[in-house]
Structures are given as structure tokens and as C-alpha cells.
Amino acid sequence: MTERSTVHSVTYDLLRTLELTTVFGNPGSTEQPFLQQFPADFTYVLGLQEASVIAMADAFAQVTGRPALVNLHSSAGMGNAVGNLVTAYHGNTPLIVTSGQQHRELVIGEPYLANREATTLPKPWVKWSYEPARAEDVPEAFMRAYAEARQPPAGPVHLSIPMDDWQRPLPGFTRVRTVSDRVVPDPERLRVFADRITASRRPALVFGPEVDRAGGWDAAVALAEKLRATVYGAPLLDRASFPEDHPLFAGPLGMSVKTVGDRLTGHDLVVVIGAEVFRYYPYVPGDYLPEHTELLQITADPAIAAAARVGDSLLGDPKSAIELLLDLVAPGSARTAPEPMPRPYALPATPNTPLTPPEVYAALSRVRPADAAIVNESTSTMAQQVEWLPTTRTGSFFATASGGIGWGTPAAVGVALADRHRGVTRPVIGLIGDGSFQYSVQAIYTAAQHNLPIVYVVMRNGEYSVLKSFAKLEHTPGVPGLDLPGLDIAALARGFGCRAADVTTTADLEREFTTALSADTPTVLVVHTRPQDANL
């Protein structure tokens, strides 16, 4: 043991081995012992609020395909972060979230900034939460955290680490392990599923976010084409898993029990791969499945399989399952080709003032680079985005997995940082509502500090449009606080170091967007739009 061999040095050596050399955080006093003498071969990504920190790390981990490391401040920082931790949990994102704990000798007396019941606070939104019983256990706790986060179903984990642990002497840690991140489905049950699919007269395929996360995009296309099956987007997608301009794609499935049931009418079999059955919101009563329609589900998550209201489930990695099904199912060449998704409605000859969301998306469709990644948190315009800006490539669409807003703005930062980390050059487009933008607006500071190629398009309709739509649907008139007057979003963006512009016409939007693509700093384009009802 050398004089410098401590919990701190041994843990950093382990993090190097696990390739966890990017730390997302907002430093607090109880975290400084971990961050001291921060190594030159590590990268610290500063977020100005912990909710933004989590979302950045979430998107970074999704794009890199590896766990990401987050460092939060005690209970106060964890409390700020929980909202987006919920999103990471629902999105099966492997995060190792650490929080600082007060000095061990003080904890029994509930000192200032102690993390009271530290392992309980982030539950149930982590797979595992632990505070090492001894300082010597810190490296092994990181090793287990890595394994827990990565193994299916992947997800966030939490470690609470007392601040005095880092300088304790420790000779080293050599029990570095590797773990599997895929589970192959039961071959006999999969063969039964394949036989039922082959026998179907008019099957429907629903590909969910697990497929794209597993790298199964190309396999999903091959399966749909072999079966000649109609493909629907799973409800409330956080990752697109099938090209939305493909002739077999029939559009989003819908959000309510009634909408989903109605959309599936006429199919004798529905095969849901990599998705819940189903994400429902709001509640509109109806039949979970049409009469004489059966359902098969394949998912890597036992909890999702157990929670399904209808159908037969099979556990396994979605990509592996699809690739195996390709060899097991018979071609569907005799099936009638499905009706293609209706193309977008024609735009008015004279542009509206303010612009409508379809006009905004139509303009963006003319100037969007083909390889651009989209992060969407304009919740009232999701249907128009699919129509006018369809996702056509794997790993190029991201949205909140939980329904909580305040994820999209920092997530765009995480996508751009991950692209840079893996040597990929592409623009990132953040489609954000004016209300959503306020939840984690401080994230654009990080975007500006790193000179990230992000173009935020903020729909400025002056209200929470999606909540007004829910109020109509749920017959709840007179709800306060749904209007947003007095926001100067462009001025706010400039204050954080971004380029910004207010836009009122499609010509201005196309010009400013094209200019933003070659800017050396992120751009916030505030597009004044007409409010509209969300497609619920």
C-alpha cells in the first residue's frame, strides 16, 4: 500500500476501468471530498440545477449505450433531481447516481446537510439504493451499482457516500467484473409465438422504445416487411423504433383505452415488442382489445409484462427476439398490404398569424438535416411532429419516458455531449413548449459553455395548451394558472449565453434555423404560434 492509496484513488481507478470518466453534477459541500484533485482524464459536466443534471446524464447514457455517472448534493440535491429520476427509471436508463453524506461521526446527531434516510429518499425510482457500511466498501459498492444499473431491465441506482470515506487508506480493489446486458427469450415459448403470428390473417406490430434502445431498428423493419404487417407507434413513445415514413407505418396508436382499442379494430393479432401494454393517459373508457383480437407481448422487463392488462407475455431482449422470429415466422406475402398513414393535411395558401404548429413543422421539414436528432417536449404538438418531421433513423428521437416535463431541454444537451464523446457530428433539434422550457431553462447554460450544436425551437403559444386540452376532456372548467404571459424567452436565452431570435413567419424561421446550423453556439428560436388542442 502506498501513502496515496485511498478510497478516493482506488475508486477513480475503478471508474476508469468501467469507462465512467464523465461526471454530471452540481457540486455541493458534501461532494467536494469526492471531487477534490479532479483527474485530468475525467470530464466534469456542470449543470446549474440537479433536475437538469439527471436529464443530461440520462440522454448521454441513452446515446452512448453505457451507464453514466451522476454526482448530487446530499438530500437537497437528490430532492431536486427526483422528478427526472422518475423519467430515467421509466426509460430504463442505466445511471449511477451518487449523493454526498455528512461525516460518519456526525450522522447520528442529524447534522446540517445530513442525508436523512439516504437510501430511502430516491425510492421507488431506483433499482438499488445503498450506503456502504464501511469506507472500505465504497469501490465494491460502485462495482455492484454498475452491475445493477446495466443488467436488464436497466435503470438508475443510487449510492450515498459519507464525505470522510474518501481519504481512508485502502490497498486496492481487484474484483472488477463484467455483466451481461441481454437475456435471450425462452425458445419454446418464442416458437409458439411465431406459430401464432404465422397463422394470423391481419397482424399488427407495435414496436416500443425497448427496440431502439436494444439496437433492434433494422431487425424490426425486416420483420414487418417479411410479415407484411401494419406497424403502429407505441403510445407516448420516448424512443422511436421504426421509420415513420415507411409504407407499413400507420401512425401512433393513441393514448386512451378507447383510442387504442378502436385503432386495433380489424386486426386478429397484435404483437407488442419492447413496450407496455399500453401506456394510457387520459382515461377514456373502452375495450382494451377489440372482440376476436389477441395480443402477444415481448419485453425485457418483468414488471412491464406483469402489469399488462391483456395478452400473453414473453420475457427477453427485444432485438434478440425479433432476430429469432425472423427465422421462425412464415412470409406474409399473401396478406393484403395495409393502408399507408395519411399524409399531412395541405397548408393554407395564406400563412396564419400567429403560425399554427403544422406550419412550423412544415417549415422545419424543409430545412432539417436528414441526420438530425430530435428531442421533443412540445406536448400539445406531438401528433403534428410525427406527420411533418417523421423519425427515419435509429437513435434519432428522444422524449420523456415519464410524462413529467423539464426533461427535454437538458436532454438535448446530453444527446449533443454524447455525440461529441463518440465522435459523431449531427445537429440536435429541441422542440420545446414555452411552458416546458421554463422547468429546466438553466440547462442552456451548459449547452452554451460547451458550444453544442443544438437548435431549440420553442413554441410560444402563451399557455399550457396540453393542460387546457385535458381540462376540456375531463370537464374541469375554470382551472387557474394555464396562461403564460410576460415571458421574454429570447432575452432569457441570451442571458445564458445562447444565440436567440423571435420568429413570426415561416420564411424567418427557415432563415434563422439555417443560420443556427452553422453557428458556434446553441440557438434558441422563439416561434410565436397559435394555441391548439392536443390530439388526446
Side-chain angles (χ1 to χ4, degrees):
M1 182 181 74
T2 67
E3 184 177 348
R4 295 183 59 213
S5 185
T6 62
V7 170
H8 185 274
S9 63
V10 170
T11 299
Y12 271 90
D13 285 342
L14 174 62
L15 294 176
R16 288 186 182 93
T17 301
L18 299 176
E19 299 182 37
L20 294 170
T21 57
T22 299
V23 182
F24 293 84
N26 181 271
S29 55
T30 54
E31 289 70 50
Q32 289 180 349
F34 167 61
L35 298 172
Q36 65 178 308
Q37 301 300 321
F38 196 69
D41 59 328
F42 278 63
T43 300
Y44 188 84
V45 178
L46 171 64
L48 299 186
Q49 207 264 8
E50 290 88 353
S52 290
V53 167
I54 289 283
M56 291 175 197
D58 182 342
F60 184 88
Q62 290 192 51
V63 174
T64 60
R66 298 185 54 80
L69 180 60
V70 181
N71 184 237
L72 302 178
H73 179 42
S74 192
S75 55
M78 179 61 72
N80 287 336
V82 165
N84 278 333
L85 192 62
V86 175
T87 301
Y89 181 86
H90 281 293
N92 294 126
T93 304
L95 298 181
I96 300 173
V97 181
T98 63
S99 64
Q101 175 62 292
Q102 258 286 9
H103 197 286
R104 285 183 182 270
E105 291 190 13
L106 294 177
V107 167
I108 194 170
E110 300 288 355
Y112 190 64
L113 294 180
N115 200 345
R116 181 179 296 184
E117 297 191 31
T119 60
T120 303
L121 180 57
K123 294 179 180 179
W125 308 116
V126 291
K127 292 178 61 181
W128 183 61
S129 186
Y130 183 68
E131 185 174 283
R134 307 177 305 157
E136 294 82 359
D137 295 333
V138 169
E140 189 160 3
F142 270 94
M143 186 67 252
R144 178 171 172 182
Y146 178 87
E148 293 272 5
R150 187 157 195 174
Q151 291 181 134
V157 298
H158 170 241
L159 295 177
S160 169
I161 305 172
M163 59 191 299
D164 55 316
D165 283 5
W166 296 107
Q167 292 307 312
R168 296 288 181 90
L170 190 66
F173 179 77
T174 58
R175 296 189 301 278
V176 179
R177 307 170 53 235
T178 61
V179 295
S180 172
D181 59 2
R182 296 183 187 274
V183 176
V184 176
D186 171 44
E188 293 185 13
R189 188 164 178 82
L190 188 68
R191 191 172 295 108
V192 171
F193 275 33
D195 292 343
R196 292 174 67 178
I197 294 169
T198 295
S200 171
R201 300 182 311 280
R202 188 171 177 237
L205 293 172
V206 180
F207 293 118
E210 290 179 38
V211 174
D212 197 48
R213 286 200 295 266
W217 177 285
D218 291 338
V221 174
L223 181 63
E225 291 177 347
K226 182 173 184 178
L227 294 174
R228 209 179 189 188
T230 303
V231 178
Y232 297 99
L236 299 164
L237 272 176
D238 52 283
R239 292 279 292 265
S241 294
F242 192 84
E244 294 171 340
D245 61 348
H246 194 286
L248 294 174
F249 185 68
L253 195 53
M255 297 165 57
S256 69
V257 172
K258 176 174 173 49
T259 303
V260 173
D262 290 349
R263 288 279 276 152
L264 294 175
T265 298
H267 295 289
D268 60 336
L269 181 68
V270 180
V271 185
V272 180
I273 304 179
E276 299 172 38
V277 180
F278 289 101
R279 281 181 177 169
Y280 295 120
Y281 196 84
Y283 175 65
V284 180
D287 294 325
Y288 287 100
L289 282 177
E291 190 176 5
H292 308 304
T293 300
E294 297 180 344
L295 186 143
L296 304 176
Q297 179 196 33
I298 301 173
T299 175
D301 192 334
I304 287 178
R309 306 296 294 272
V310 291
D312 302 324
S313 295
L314 170 63
L315 292 175
D317 173 67
K319 178 185 178 183
S320 302
I322 295 170
E323 291 174 342
L324 292 168
L325 281 174
L326 277 167
D327 293 331
L328 295 173
V329 298
S333 53
R335 297 189 179 108
T336 303
E339 293 291 328
M341 185 178 80
R343 292 298 96 194
Y345 297 110
L347 298 172
T350 302
N352 288 284
T353 304
L355 296 171
T356 63
E359 289 172 302
V360 173
Y361 286 138
L364 291 176
S365 72
R366 293 189 287 269
V367 292
R368 172 186 65 162
D371 63 342
I374 286 179
V375 179
N376 189 333
E377 197 169 282
S378 177
T379 53
S380 64
T381 68
M382 292 186 294
Q384 289 74 39
Q385 183 255 307
V386 173
E387 291 173 351
W388 290 98
L389 292 173
T391 301
T392 60
R393 301 186 182 199
T394 182
S396 61
F397 175 82
F398 305 88
T400 175
S402 69
I405 59 178
W407 183 86
T409 303
V413 176
V415 172
L417 285 170
D419 283 347
R420 182 174 291 174
H421 179 82
R422 63 197 183 110
V424 171
T425 301
R426 63 173 175 173
V428 178
I429 304 171
L431 304 173
I432 315 292
D434 53 356
S436 293
F437 194 68
Q438 309 312 311
Y439 275 68
S440 299
V441 66
Q442 68 285 127
I444 64 175
Y445 170 83
T446 306
Q449 291 297 305
H450 290 265
N451 297 316
L452 297 176
I454 303 173
V455 184
Y456 290 105
V457 179
V458 180
M459 303 280 197
R460 181 71 176 110
N461 58 22
E463 65 178 33
Y464 291 119
S465 285
V466 71
L467 296 181
K468 287 191 174 183
S469 299
F470 281 127
K472 292 178 182 178
L473 180 69
E474 296 164 354
H475 307 292
T476 54
V479 176
L482 300 186
D483 293 309
L484 297 170
L487 286 173
D488 190 342
I489 295 173
L492 189 63
R494 294 187 191 101
F496 279 111
C498 295
R499 178 179 173 273
D502 282 289
V503 175
T504 57
T505 69
T506 55
D508 288 344
L509 174 58
E510 291 182 38
R511 184 186 66 256
E512 290 287 355
F513 186 91
T514 302
T515 301
L517 292 175
S518 58
D520 59 358
T521 189
T523 299
V524 177
L525 300 180
V526 185
V527 187
H528 295 266
T529 56
R530 179 177 297 181
Q532 68 165 34
D533 287 340
N535 186 6
L536 303 177

